[in-house]
Amino acid sequence: MAQTKYIFVTGGVTSSLGKGIIAASLAKLLQARGYRTTIQKFDPYINVDPGTLNPYEHGECYVTDDGAETDLDLGHYERFLNVPTSQANNVTTGRVYLSVIEKERRGEFLGKTVQVVPHITNEIKERMQLLGNSGDFDIVITEIGGTVGDIESLPYIESVRQLVWELGENNGLVIHLTLVPYLAAAGELKTKPTQHSVKTLMESGIKADILVCRTEHELSEELRNKLALFCNVKREAVIQSIDASTIYEVPILMLEEGLDVVALKKLDLPIKSAPDLKNWNTFLSRLKNPKHSVNIGLVGKYVELQDSYKSILEAFIHAGAANETKVNVVSIHSEYLDASNANEKLKDLDGILVAPGFGGRGIEGKIETVRYARENNIPFLGICLGMQMAVIEYSRTILGLKDANSTEMDEGTSNPVIDLMEEQKTITDKGGTMRLGAWKCDIKENTLAHKIYGKTSILERHRHRYEFNGDYLEALEKAGLKASGVNPDTGLVEIVEIENHPFFIGVQYHPEYKSTVDNPHPLFVSFVEATVKAKKK
């Protein structure tokens, strides 16, 4: 079996430079050249997973098929590669230390003093090679979170140093992503931050093989030569990463810069025929040349931070391109929405999505939004909590159960149309204990859901503790709110919809997690299509 090759992506100068996008873009190019490629993210924080992190702190928590709560970069990996990730693709310091401490408690270190080197670094190296050892991949790209020089990143950087040495010549390479800032006062780009960043990396014993320079302006030939000389890399290994209008342009820009060719040469791998990016370019062309445009309201409670709903925003981009439509997402904070201002705030929308979330803040605004969409025949999609709000609104307005609520918001409600799932009632630990990962859903024929999916059985990813209370199913169905999708094993209602409405559907799962460039999610595609139709009317 051929040796798996490893690429490590580190960052310097500042965070949020886009290591994940560069890693995903390189992976896309290598995949398009016929190499089996995967990406993993190693995060230096001590949380065991991002599941307990506030979206304002960390952006959204992404969920994989196997139920891992992971960093949002894994979403980019899946959207670019169209290959599912798993528990093994995201590792945090918390998980590494937890594993080492559990081994120590079991006596696996035979009384030795447990230290960062070698015990923590060995654990990290083991996990770095987990996917590579599976035999499923030719190339594994590992993104190291944080920036070089951070105290918390040191064990990862040391692990990379050891692993590159152990793998031997041509089996591992390091890409270092840095910033080349433009100083307006001086009117020039500055290379010094990059030089310092590379120096810090070298002090840790790692030589960068490829330098990717984030910049707002073109790098001149002179500047590239200077960076090559002072950062000790080959001239062709100085790669410019200029600001793009969309992240989906980055693979094309990296192809023009030759990032994949430089990497393959360094790894001593054959440069197969030109990369097959036909589908990708078709998608980009549709994205840039829309024939229609719609305004869709994203009503949620974390709207101040774009990354809180990252996968939803990306799913709209995929679905928009599929419909040759520019989707303008209008973020609306549900906390500041009520019966007195809903008409004013929602009147210019062609469609409304009520977003997922946790806790009682902004709930009444979401319920008011559902009522507005339902009564005014505006295409509506509710996801997770959004679906639950649709059930509450229907119960209150149509069934006349004025105090209908979720026990998450009001434990004492006499009409808990949404209730804590039975298996959740004994759980006290918060981390990784929700209903997570891919679950089956059976879809009833002759429903909107069946029309959207074109099949009667689907697998979708979940992340929730509360569910539709089956005690109210009969009354709600009689009143016109249909349960069109149900889990075959538990009877849990997964999809609700209303007939005689342009488009009204709520889903308990998160369809946005499965939308990719190659496979835009059918629910989003149909929703955008419905908004285009509604706007024309």
Side-chain angles (χ1 to χ4, degrees), residues 13 68 79 145 159 174 215 260 333 357 366 480 489 517:
V13 186
R79 288 187 279 273
S159 302
V174 176
T215 174
D260 53 332
H333 206 304
K366 288 189 174 186
D489 305 317
V517 169

Side-chain angles (χ1 to χ4, degrees), residues 2-16:
Q3 157 91 43
T4 303
K5 308 278 187 170
Y6 292 86
I7 296 173
F8 300 96
V9 182
T10 59
V13 186
T14 163
S15 58
S16 302

Side-chain angles (χ1 to χ4, degrees), residues 276-530:
D276 175 11
L277 292 165
K278 194 163 133 255
N279 288 358
W280 195 271
N281 284 320
T282 303
F283 161 77
L284 269 179
S285 152
R286 290 180 139 216
L287 182 64
K288 289 180 171 178
N289 304 292
K291 292 177 180 167
H292 322 280
S293 122
V294 291
N295 296 327
I296 295 181
L298 174 63
V299 180
K301 45 186 175 177
Y302 314 118
V303 293
E304 301 94 327
L305 185 71
Q306 284 257 317
D307 279 356
S308 304
Y309 299 116
K310 193 67 185 162
S311 292
I312 290 176
L313 298 176
E314 298 306 319
F316 274 133
I317 291 173
H318 308 153
N323 283 289
E324 297 185 81
T325 299
K326 175 160 178 44
V327 178
N328 302 307
V329 178
V330 183
S331 296
I332 297 167
H333 206 304
S334 61
E335 207 175 346
Y336 310 119
L337 253 178
D338 55 38
S340 68
N341 63 13
N343 282 17
E344 186 51 40
K345 288 199 171 184
L346 305 172
K347 70 177 191 313
D348 298 326
L349 301 175
D350 305 306
I352 292 172
L353 184 146
V354 173
F358 294 91
R361 187 169 59 86
I363 286 307
E364 294 303 322
K366 288 189 174 186
I367 294 168
E368 190 52 44
T369 303
V370 177
R371 183 195 62 75
Y372 180 88
R374 186 177 59 74
E375 291 178 354
N376 292 285
N377 284 330
I378 294 170
F380 166 83
L381 172 59
I383 295 179
C384 197
L385 185 67
M387 172 263 207
Q388 297 176 0
M389 297 302 104
V391 173
I392 293 170
E393 189 279 327
Y394 210 85
S395 304
R396 287 183 186 179
T397 317
I398 306 297
L399 282 186
L401 307 173
K402 294 297 175 209
D403 71 334
N405 214 329
S406 164
T407 50
E408 183 183 2
M409 320 311 164
D410 176 8
E411 282 186 17
T413 174
S414 55
N415 283 298
V417 292
I418 304 294
D419 200 6
L420 189 61
M421 301 174 73
E422 207 47 54
E423 64 268 27
Q424 289 285 328
K425 290 182 178 170
T426 53
I427 290 173
T428 51
D429 283 3
K430 291 277 183 278
T433 55
M434 283 186 244
R435 182 172 190 253
L436 292 164
W439 294 77
K440 261 191 190 155
C441 172
D442 285 351
I443 296 177
K444 291 176 184 164
E445 291 188 12
N446 305 317
T447 58
L448 174 60
H450 187 248
K451 187 181 157 205
I452 290 168
Y453 281 97
K455 46 188 174 186
T456 52
S457 181
I458 57 169
L459 266 179
E460 290 282 5
R461 299 179 192 176
H462 292 69
R463 184 170 186 256
H464 63 107
R465 293 185 197 281
Y466 291 80
E467 64 169 318
F468 182 107
N469 185 343
D471 295 348
Y472 292 85
L473 180 58
E474 197 182 332
L476 281 164
E477 290 221 290
K478 265 189 189 151
L481 186 72
K482 299 272 180 270
S484 54
V486 174
N487 178 284
D489 305 317
T490 60
L492 174 68
V493 173
E494 302 269 14
I495 309 174
V496 296
E497 59 181 66
I498 296 173
E499 291 174 323
N500 308 320
H501 188 284
F503 188 99
F504 189 103
I505 193 163
V507 296
Q508 181 55 72
Y509 48 82
H510 289 261
E512 71 273 21
Y513 290 151
K514 288 185 85 162
S515 187
T516 69
V517 169
D518 280 347
N519 279 317
H521 197 285
L523 202 49
F524 278 88
V525 173
S526 301
F527 178 45
V528 172
E529 188 187 354

Side-chain angles (χ1 to χ4, degrees), residues 60-78:
E60 80 172 4
C61 173
Y62 186 78
V63 177
T64 59
D65 277 340
D66 67 348
E69 290 180 299
T70 73
D71 183 76
L72 59 80
D73 273 325
L74 265 73
H76 291 312
Y77 305 165
E78 288 202 12

